[in-house]
């Protein structure tokens, strides 16, 4: 039985951040979100996030301008943001990132929906993701895992499995710093509630484990019940071969079952 599902890979629409189109309310929402979350960061976020935030020059005083952000990012790690309308298809997502392009939405939630969002907005994509894009070891991992995704672009099952690793690292990863867990996952960093919860004793903290991540489905609509802890960003990059072989192995097993 055929186990791969062929997919049509969509292409990126030509989009730009229209900076002048942001309203006063947009900038105000950015400020509220920024001020509210920045106070939690020194005790909760990885130190690399704080370093990155300063390098990238984000402040409460205005929505980041992608052009300026990209000037800094290109200089530091060769990465850049590309504006997208909303959630990008997984295949296109990995393709962009395998070329050092990070897709980011340009819209921001309204003041009435500060805490509830149907899908990630700019506060998530930009505030939570971009500071780590200044860290070379982290972006090396991001590029490498995206290349694996790109290599499996026409295989929906493979993309699904690989997305688990992405989920438990880039979105919901924790790192041990001075013996204490800290957050580097953007899904946590953009949520004040989950920032507190993730570091509490309520969820399980597992050691970084590629096979376990590949075997763990995840849910998007609740706080995670488990997080995986790394010791360094180099550890992520050094696990790339293990991710590749683990994925191939799992796909092979699925093929046998089917
Ligand atoms: Co994200």
């Amino acid at each position: 039985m055929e186990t791969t599902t062929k997919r049509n890979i969509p292409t990126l629409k030509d989009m730009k951040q229209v900076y002048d189109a942001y309203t006063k309310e947009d900038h105000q929402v950015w400020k509220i979100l920024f001020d509210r979350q920045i106070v939690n960061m020194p005790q909760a976020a990885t130190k690399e996030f704080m370093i990155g935030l300063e390098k990238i020059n984000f402040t409460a005083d205005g929505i980041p301008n992608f052009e300026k952000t990209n000037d800094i990012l290109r200089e530091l790690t060769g990465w850049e943001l590309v504006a997208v309308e909303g959630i990008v298809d997984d295949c296109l997502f990995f393709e962009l990132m395998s070329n050092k392009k990070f897709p980011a939405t340009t819209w921001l939630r309204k003041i009435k929906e500060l805490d509830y969002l149907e899908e990630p907005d700019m506060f998530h994509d930009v505030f939570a993701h971009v500071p780590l894009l200044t860290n070379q070891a982290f972006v090396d991992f991001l590029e490498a895992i995206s290349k694996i995704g790109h290599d499996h672009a026409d295989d929906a099952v493979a993309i699904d499995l690989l997305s688990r690793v992405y989920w438990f690292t880039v979105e919901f990863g924790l790192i041990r710093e001075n013996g204490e867990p800290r957050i580097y996952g953007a899904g946590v960093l953009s949520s004040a509630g989950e920032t507190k919860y993730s570091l509490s004793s309520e969820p399980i903290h597992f050691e970084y484990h590629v096979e376990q991540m590949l075997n763990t489905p995840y849910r998007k609509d609740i706080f995670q019940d488990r997080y995986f802890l790394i010791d360094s960003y180099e550890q992520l990059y050094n696990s790339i071969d293990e991710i590749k072989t683990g994925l191939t192995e799992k796909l092979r097993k699925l093929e046998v079952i089917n």
Side-chain angles (χ1 to χ4, degrees):
M1 189 181 154
E2 178 72 59
T3 53
T4 57
T5 314
K6 295 285 175 196
R7 292 158 52 119
N8 290 323
I9 301 165
T11 49
L12 187 66
K13 282 188 209 148
D14 201 16
M15 253 204 77
K16 266 188 83 174
Q17 181 192 40
V18 185
Y19 197 81
D20 292 341
Y22 290 120
T23 63
K24 238 176 141 176
E25 183 190 323
D26 291 329
H27 287 288
Q28 195 195 348
V29 167
W30 174 269
K31 181 171 168 48
I32 292 169
L33 292 169
F34 189 101
D35 283 341
R36 193 172 69 172
Q37 188 61 339
I38 199 70
V39 292
N40 298 320
M41 296 292 91
Q43 313 81 258
T46 167
K47 60 179 187 300
E48 292 303 327
F49 179 84
M50 304 307 291
I51 293 168
L53 198 63
E54 203 172 312
K55 283 185 183 164
I56 209 71
N57 223 356
F58 291 166
T59 69
D61 299 331
I63 291 171
N65 184 322
F66 284 15
E67 274 181 32
K68 290 183 187 158
T69 301
N70 280 344
D71 286 343
I72 302 171
L73 265 186
R74 280 191 210 106
E75 180 87 7
L76 290 171
T77 54
W79 276 64
E80 62 182 14
L81 298 179
V82 289
V84 294
E85 271 175 20
I87 290 181
V88 178
D89 172 273
D90 285 336
C91 294
L92 177 59
F93 187 63
F94 285 131
E95 189 195 326
L96 287 170
M97 293 194 301
S98 66
N99 290 303
K100 302 188 173 119
K101 292 179 197 305
F102 190 83
T105 50
T106 59
W107 66 278
L108 198 59
R109 68 194 77 178
K110 295 292 167 206
I111 205 144
K112 289 184 222 98
E113 45 176 17
L114 280 185
D115 291 301
Y116 179 77
L117 273 189
E118 298 267 336
E119 58 174 83
D121 68 347
M122 214 177 85
F123 188 70
H124 170 81
D125 286 348
V126 177
F127 173 86
H129 275 291
V130 172
L132 260 289
L133 299 182
T134 65
N135 179 284
Q136 196 61 53
F138 182 78
V139 290
D140 286 347
F141 168 71
L142 201 50
E143 185 183 350
I145 192 175
S146 302
K147 280 189 173 137
I148 302 175
H150 188 48
D151 290 344
H152 291 274
D154 60 352
D155 183 350
V157 177
I159 292 290
D160 228 52
L161 293 171
L162 192 65
S163 297
R164 294 176 179 179
V165 180
Y166 183 86
W167 183 264
F168 288 116
T169 55
V170 180
E171 292 294 353
F172 290 90
L174 304 183
I175 183 167
R176 196 181 284 108
E177 284 175 0
N178 299 321
E180 296 291 331
R182 292 292 183 116
I183 305 157
Y184 72 92
V188 189
L189 291 171
S190 57
S191 157
E194 192 155 356
T195 290
K196 202 168 168 215
Y197 163 86
S198 68
L199 299 178
S200 74
S201 56
E202 214 172 318
I204 312 171
H205 290 169
F206 285 113
E207 292 300 314
Y208 186 68
H209 197 293
V210 170
E211 197 191 340
Q212 194 183 342
M213 290 188 294
L214 282 169
N215 285 325
T216 308
Y218 58 86
R219 280 181 62 179
K220 291 187 172 182
D221 55 330
I222 47 163
F223 284 176
Q224 304 302 302
D225 62 0
R226 69 200 60 202
Y227 300 91
F228 289 87
L229 262 168
I230 57 170
D231 282 305
S232 69
Y233 296 105
E234 285 73 19
Q235 184 184 6
L236 288 177
Y237 184 72
N238 292 337
S239 73
I240 282 294
D241 281 344
E242 203 187 336
I243 296 170
K244 258 186 223 165
T245 50
L247 180 64
T248 311
E249 180 69 5
K250 199 163 157 64
L251 289 169
R252 198 186 53 79
K253 276 187 200 155
L254 286 172
E255 210 165 310
V256 172
I257 294 165
N258 285 309

